[in-house]
Amino acid sequence: MHMTIQTNGFQMTSALRAYTEQRLATALGWARHHMRRLAVSLSDINGPRGGVDKRCRIQVQLGGGREVIVDDVDANLYAAIDRAVDRADRAVVKKVERTRQFVRTRAPAQQGQMATGELNEPADAMPATGNEPQER
């Protein structure tokens, strides 16, 4: 799995990087074999003006072309990271569970019909009368 953490509008500190990596490992560590890529983007939307403007965007690329994207905005960047990670974890659980539900092996079509007593006869077939020529 390839993981990247990027910032926009401020400098990445070692404490912020360590916190983000620790939260991701705790919440999504169970799914590391399902993930192909994990990208986190941290940004300050309004810059120095302040306000509720710290964004955490998490993109998780799973196998089979499936993707989970979660955005969260808060005045506190750490709170935005926490909520985004929790939401990403729940979304990845749903995606993985959906694929598990549909991975089933099926019996061949004829065996399935034999078990239920159905036959593949054309609708216009006439019932047997006993006077049909027999093959030798």
Side-chain angles (χ1 to χ4, degrees):
M1 173 192 69
H2 180 67
M3 180 171 79
T4 59
I5 301 174
Q6 298 177 347
T7 61
N8 185 14
F10 59 92
Q11 289 292 323
M12 171 71 80
T13 64
S14 60
L16 183 59
R17 179 176 292 281
Y19 181 79
T20 305
E21 289 174 349
Q22 184 268 331
R23 285 291 288 136
L24 289 168
T26 302
L28 294 171
W30 66 270
R32 91 180 109 247
H33 61 278
H34 294 284
M35 294 187 289
R36 292 191 175 180
R37 189 172 80 85
L38 175 63
V40 180
S41 175
L42 306 173
S43 58
D44 187 358
I45 300 168
N46 292 336
R49 291 180 285 179
V52 181
D53 65 343
K54 307 296 189 287
R55 174 185 288 157
C56 176
R57 171 179 238 160
I58 300 174
Q59 295 177 317
V60 180
Q61 190 174 33
L62 302 167
R66 297 165 297 150
E67 188 173 38
V68 172
I69 300 174
V70 176
D71 258 339
D72 209 296
V73 178
D74 197 288
N76 182 346
L77 184 58
Y78 289 92
I81 292 169
D82 286 340
R83 278 203 312 263
V85 168
D86 290 340
R87 289 175 54 211
D89 180 42
R90 287 193 304 267
V92 169
V93 166
K94 284 183 184 180
K95 290 271 187 184
V96 170
E97 287 299 318
R98 283 183 191 151
T99 58
R100 285 185 186 165
Q101 289 175 357
F102 293 113
V103 177
R104 293 192 176 112
T105 58
R106 293 195 123 143
Q110 289 181 344
Q111 287 179 354
Q113 290 173 349
M114 294 283 239
T116 60
E118 297 174 357
L119 297 176
N120 256 351
E121 291 186 29
D124 60 347
M126 299 295 289
T129 59
N131 296 332
E132 291 83 19
Q134 296 181 359
E135 292 184 328
R136 294 182 189 223

